Amino acid sequence: MALDATREKTPVANWKLALRGVPWIPAFVLVTMVLVAIFADFIAPHSPTETSLPHKLQPPFWQAGGSTTYLLGTDALGRDVLSRLMFGARYSLIVSLAAIVVGTSFGAALGLIAGYCGGWVDSLIMRATDVMLSLPVILLALLLAVSLGPSFITIIIIVAAVLWARYARIIRGEVLYWKTQDFVALARVAGASGFRIISRHLFPNVLNTLLVLATMQVGWAIIMEGSLSFLGAGVPPPTPSLGSMVSDGRNYIASAWWIAMFPGLAILLIVLSMNLFGDWMRDAFDPKLRQM
Amino acid sequence: MLLEVKDLKTYFHTRRGVVKAVNGVSFTLDAGKTLGLVGESGSGKSITALSLLRLVPEPAGRIAGGEILLDGEDLVKKSAREMRRIRGAKVSMILQDSMMSLNPVYTVGNQVAESIIAHQSIPRGEVHSKVVEMLRLVRIPAPERRAKQYPHEMSGGMRQRVSGAIAFSCQPSLLICDEPTTSLDVTIQAQYLKLLKDIQRETGVAVLFITHDLGVVAKICDDIAVMYAGRIVEMAPAMELLTRPMHPYTEALMKCLPSLDKNVSRLPSIQGAPPTLLQMPPGCSFWPRCPDVRPACKEQYPPFIALNEHHSASCWKLS
Amino acid sequence: MTADKSILLEVQGLKKYFPVTEGLVFLRTAGYVKAVDDIDFELPERQTLGLVGESGCGKTTTARVILRLEEPTSGRVCFQGKDVSRLGGADLRRYRAAVHAVFQDPTSSLNPRMRVGSIISEPLEVSGKIPRSEIKDRVKESLDFVGLNQDSAGLFPHEFSGGQRQRVALARAFALRPRLIVLDEPVSSLDVSIRAQILNLAKDMQEQAGISFLLISHDLATVRYMSHRIAVMYLGKIVEAGARDEVYSHPLHPYTSALLSAASPLRPGDQQKEVVLTGEVSSPLNPPSGCRFHPRCDRRMKSCSDTEPQLKPAGADHQVACHLY
Ligand SMILES: Nc1ncnc2c1ncn2[C@@H]1O[C@H](COP(=O)(O)OP(=O)(O)O)[C@@H](O)[C@H]1O
Ligand SMILES: Nc1ncnc2c1ncn2[C@@H]1O[C@H](COP(=O)(O)OP(=O)(O)O)[C@@H](O)[C@H]1O
Ligand code: SF4
Ligand SMILES: [Mg+2]
Ligand SMILES: [Mg+2]
């Protein structure tokens, strides 16, 4: 029998298809950010933490009083803004990615279990997410920060703690849909265990949603980290993060705008790029859209 | 002659190429008659219907050629505004899924009334009695009460009757039914077909009846046109087509249907599957599946050959 | 007669009611949808039982109870003499290996994220009956049987047409050589020209591996082609049952006659004297008293609305539930 299913599909054609419509500018921004964050040790012109009071509050090089030694100026303690930006990007990206990985895994697992099991398990998990989602985020974060003490790990835990409930919610909804599909009933007829059905049948089908949600929330996690730092509950000084830099700079916003402005811009760029990238991923993973 | 379609072509321009959904379709339909358009899914039946109403999904789809003569006027040449008037006044349509074509937030009485007001100039005060009259026409029991119900409160068969009432409220001369009974159970289907026939006898409307079900077609149609891959491959009066199919596709299709009144130990089956319209074989579109294939079939599309006054088919075997 | 055949599946007094709840906060049961209401039938080894009826009459629910996807409200399903709902441990595993299913919608039946090879091999892996090293060969064999080429194993379901997807579903159900396959409307969603291919394939399976089928369909012609015995359902009840030829040549129940009449195409010379039923199928939430068919029946008598007719023998290997007989 002639199979139209075996029509030719070269690997090259597949790649072309997958790459079609990649948002090049956001992709470029993100790749640059990541490279800078990784190689900050080598490319940063100065130490991010070393203070130099004689050079404090220098403006960027194009303004009167600025110099090319400190391209983007210095902060109140005379630290190079550009170098801090590079290291800050590293910490912010690590924090947000780690938080997302933790929050996503936890939330997805609970969502899968709630959706698959139904009944009281479902009710229990969903009431827990209700509680999480109705607590004021910042209050919760501050509580956690105070009880755990400000540290790198704390921030990751806080952000993950706020995130998981959203994932659990959305994933549960998706699972409820997939669970009604005949292939799940057929898996049960074949004798598949609950674990097998969750891991082989349900999880792969919600993975897309999960990935897209995750990219969409990277930006949110960075902002969250920023807000926490802003409130003094973030990464402890002198370690730079984009959020803490904005927060440090706010006192000087009238006199030395560059201290807060550049990290702020960096956050904006990452968030925007991530969102655009997430939009693309959502479309790219949709098999129907991909075929058009 | 009420409707004459000549060499109608409707193409879709997609990223993967041109889909010739309707590829040179011609037929005629007289007032009071029923023409059945039969074919498998994807053969272009619905697109043919939408083309008649000039409702092909734009901009991907476009009528690429041909004429649609309704009462002698070519619909292909009409402006959008003229078409809107014609759709209301002369042609109406019943679709398969009445849940989709009825608005869930209005009562069915409201929806029939809306159609009556739009298409007939009758005084406001008489609209209600007209609604009841329409519902009665489609044999809805207790029409006064039913008019106050919402679509979801009705069964599939009842909803399909309401769709009928709406379609008939503009007093069309041509009614297009696109798989109106496909989602109904057989006994309800039989009721609906009987209803359509009765109304046709009362109003003299011409019906273009689209279906994939040869059993349904046998019950309601005067003539049958069989579509395959965007073209009509055979056309004949219903009885003649069902008893003496000439095109290999029609023949094979009839043979591969399980029979209701005799035991068959093994059905002959048609090999392969209908072509995707993007990868049409050269020559006759049926040849990869045809039991009678000959060299000419693979090279050129066969011409439409008249076997007698009313029966014609396009197949090299017949020439 | 079936006395000489061993019975594979036996359904006794099976009921399945779905509670209908009411209220926003405090849910209370307002009634029951009597989807399946006290049915009995048996399916001999190596045979096909056709279960016919209009949509909503409880065919799929019956199948789901047999497949242990739903618990029966009461009654029993016995497979090789054992009550299916009491099976556990090794017995249950044996049942899962012996009973498979093919559903109506091939798109929903195949996990869109799994390759066809894994889809077919799942029952083999789960059963633990087949050594890992043999699984690949078994998948190949199954694909071969349903007429798909070997490369298909590496493809995803969306790369196939509807008919081919149903072939994959059949290949999966067949892979373990089960004793029984439940076919729930296996060709209803397929194109007319493809249906015979799939039906013939199922017949071949039965011939080769001696599989029994429970074939569920609303299409009487399909059922006639495939089945040895048939049972006609109306609103959760079996109204007529028997050997195929018996039921098709002497339909007794007025509902069966109406179904046959509605389904049969007009033939030349046929005076159109078909029975067109009036009225609609009643709701299983509130079935009519007496005979459930009486509001639509053209031969009803006084007793029809009062007493419920029981399924009684009426001729050789033929049963009907109707006061006329
Ligand atoms: N919007 C569209 N874009 C591209 N192709 C289309 C579109 N709508 C329909 N087609 C193609 O036109 C063909 C005929 O479709 P249709 O008339 O709906 O078939 P049917 O006979 O089942 O009613 C199909 O093969 C389909 O692929
Ligand atoms: N899970 C369920 N909850 C409530 N009602 C159901 C459920 N499943 C089926 N039903 C009802 O049971 C009746 C029989 O359904 P079904 O067995 O699917 O019929 P069939 O397969 O014959 O079309 C229908 O009225 C349907 O609405
Ligand atoms: S033209 Fe040839 S291939 Fe086409 S139907 Fe006729 S005999 Fe078959
Ligand atoms: Mg259509
Ligand atoms: Mg069903």
Side-chain angles (χ1 to χ4, degrees), chain A:
Chain A
M1 204 177 98
L3 262 182
D4 75 319
T6 45
R7 78 189 104 85
E8 271 179 76
K9 255 212 237 150
T10 59
V12 177
N14 264 339
W15 265 106
K16 275 192 185 154
L17 216 59
L19 285 180
R20 192 178 59 207
V22 171
W24 290 111
I25 296 176
F28 177 77
V29 170
L30 288 175
V31 169
T32 314
M33 290 275 182
V34 169
L35 287 180
V36 165
I38 292 173
F39 297 108
D41 289 307
F42 305 104
I43 53 177
H46 301 273
S47 155
T49 48
E50 196 180 300
T51 57
S52 164
L53 287 176
H55 296 111
K56 69 172 186 182
L57 296 178
Q58 284 204 1
F61 72 92
W62 66 85
Q63 285 210 328
S67 77
T68 46
T69 327
Y70 301 105
L71 282 174
L72 298 182
T74 60
D75 66 6
L77 298 175
R79 295 175 296 198
D80 179 31
V81 169
L82 180 60
S83 307
R84 282 180 68 72
L85 213 51
M86 289 172 169
F87 282 90
R90 170 187 289 182
Y91 290 113
S92 289
L93 284 175
I94 291 177
V95 165
S96 55
L97 290 179
I100 292 225
V101 169
V102 174
T104 310
S105 319
F106 194 62
L110 285 175
L112 280 163
I113 292 170
Y116 177 73
C117 297
W120 64 268
V121 177
D122 184 28
S123 306
L124 192 75
I125 295 176
M126 281 307 106
R127 290 306 77 76
T129 63
D130 284 345
V131 171
M132 281 313 280
L133 290 175
S134 57
L135 281 180
V137 174
I138 293 295
L139 184 68
L140 176 76
L142 286 178
L143 278 174
L144 278 171
V146 169
S147 51
L148 298 175
S151 82
F152 209 59
I153 303 294
T154 311
I155 292 271
I156 293 175
I157 292 177
I158 293 173
V159 177
V162 175
L163 275 178
W164 75 265
R166 304 181 183 197
Y167 288 109
R169 267 276 140 124
I170 295 170
I171 294 305
R172 171 185 173 268
E174 288 259 309
V175 169
L176 287 186
Y177 165 76
W178 288 108
K179 206 172 71 161
T180 62
Q181 296 290 299
D182 286 342
F183 64 81
V184 174
L186 285 169
R188 284 170 66 195
V189 168
S193 62
F195 178 74
R196 188 186 170 98
I197 290 175
I198 291 182
S199 62
R200 299 287 298 271
H201 291 282
L202 298 176
F203 177 68
N205 281 296
V206 299
L207 187 60
N208 268 354
T209 311
L210 211 56
L211 281 177
V212 171
L213 276 178
T215 46
M216 297 283 197
Q217 308 240 282
V218 168
W220 182 87
I222 290 179
I223 294 178
M224 182 77 195
E225 176 269 327
S227 321
L228 289 173
S229 301
F230 191 80
L231 295 168
V235 182
T239 315
S241 79
L242 296 179
S244 61
M245 288 174 71
V246 174
S247 124
D248 289 347
R250 82 196 130 130
N251 296 330
Y252 305 91
I253 202 75
S255 53
W257 55 269
W258 55 90
I259 305 179
M261 181 66 94
F262 291 117
L265 272 178
I267 293 177
L268 185 79
L269 266 180
I270 294 179
V271 172
L272 254 181
S273 310
M274 270 294 179
N275 284 352
L276 288 171
F277 209 71
D279 276 345
W280 167 76
M281 273 182 53
R282 191 185 48 212
D283 295 349
F285 278 130
D286 189 332
K288 283 201 202 102
L289 289 175
R290 191 164 45 180
Q291 273 181 6
M292 283 193 359

Side-chain angles (χ1 to χ4, degrees), chain C residues 13 39 70 109 116 137 157 161 173 178 190 193 197 232 301 303 312:
Chain C
I39 64 170
E70 308 272 5
S109 299
V116 161
D137 293 335
S161 69
L190 303 182
S193 75
Q197 295 172 4
V232 182
M301 306 169 294
S303 54
K312 288 188 299 261

Side-chain angles (χ1 to χ4, degrees), chain B residues 247-249 284-294 296-298 300-302 314-318:
Chain B
H247 193 280
Y249 173 64
C284 170
S285 31
F286 188 58
W287 78 255
R289 306 176 76 192
C290 183
D292 293 325
V293 62
R294 50 202 69 204
C297 306
K298 305 184 186 180
Q300 214 185 347
Y301 194 83
S314 62
C315 170
W316 285 116
K317 189 179 85 169
L318 305 171

Side-chain angles (χ1 to χ4, degrees), chain C residues 134-146:
Chain C
E134 273 179 39
I135 287 183
K136 248 199 157 126
D137 293 335
R138 283 291 200 102
V139 170
K140 276 211 180 101
E141 208 183 310
S142 265
L143 279 174
D144 210 40
F145 191 89
V146 300

Side-chain angles (χ1 to χ4, degrees), chain C residues 111-125:
Chain C
N111 186 339
R113 302 273 155 186
M114 259 191 184
R115 289 177 199 279
V116 161
S118 324
I119 290 175
I120 297 175
S121 68
E122 179 166 54
L124 302 171
E125 286 167 27

Side-chain angles (χ1 to χ4, degrees), chain B residues 192-206:
Chain B
Y192 198 78
L193 294 178
K194 183 164 178 290
L195 171 76
L196 266 183
K197 252 182 157 170
D198 290 349
I199 298 181
Q200 184 176 37
R201 213 168 295 134
E202 288 166 34
T203 61
V205 66

